[in-house]
Amino acid sequence: MAKTTLDVKGMHCGHCKASVTNALKGLDGVSDVSVDLEKGKASVEYDDARVQFSKMKETVEEQGYDVVGQN
C-alpha cells in the first residue's frame, strides 16, 4: 500500500470533509482516507497498481474542490 497527502482548497465544513472522504473511498484501490479541514489535507492510503494520483485529483475536483498539490 502507498500513502499520499493531497492539498485540497475549498473545504470549510463537515459536509466538505464527508464529500471528499466518500468520493476518495469510492475509488477502486483506495483503502483509507483521513481529511484534516484546518490544514486542507486529505491523507490517502491506496494500492498504486489500481489507482493513480491523477484519478484521485479528478475525483476530488468533481466534488467542487481544488487539488493544488501532493505530498
Side-chain angles (χ1 to χ4, degrees), residues 15-16 18-19 25 37 53 65:
H15 175 74
C16 298
S19 292
K25 282 187 175 179
L37 282 177
F53 168 73
Y65 308 99

Side-chain angles (χ1 to χ4, degrees), residues 9-45:
K9 295 266 188 201
M11 297 187 300
H12 303 289
C13 64
H15 175 74
C16 298
K17 180 177 179 176
S19 292
V20 171
T21 300
N22 292 334
L24 288 168
K25 282 187 175 179
L27 291 174
D28 182 40
V30 172
S31 60
D32 191 42
V33 177
S34 176
V35 174
D36 185 327
L37 282 177
E38 288 182 18
K39 294 181 180 177
K41 307 272 186 193
S43 299
V44 185
E45 188 172 316

Side-chain angles (χ1 to χ4, degrees), residues 6-9 53 56-58 60-61 65-70:
L6 309 178
D7 295 323
V8 183
K9 295 266 188 201
F53 168 73
M56 289 185 263
K57 180 178 189 287
E58 176 186 319
V60 171
E61 291 180 346
Y65 308 99
D66 293 319
V67 176
V68 295
Q70 173 189 23

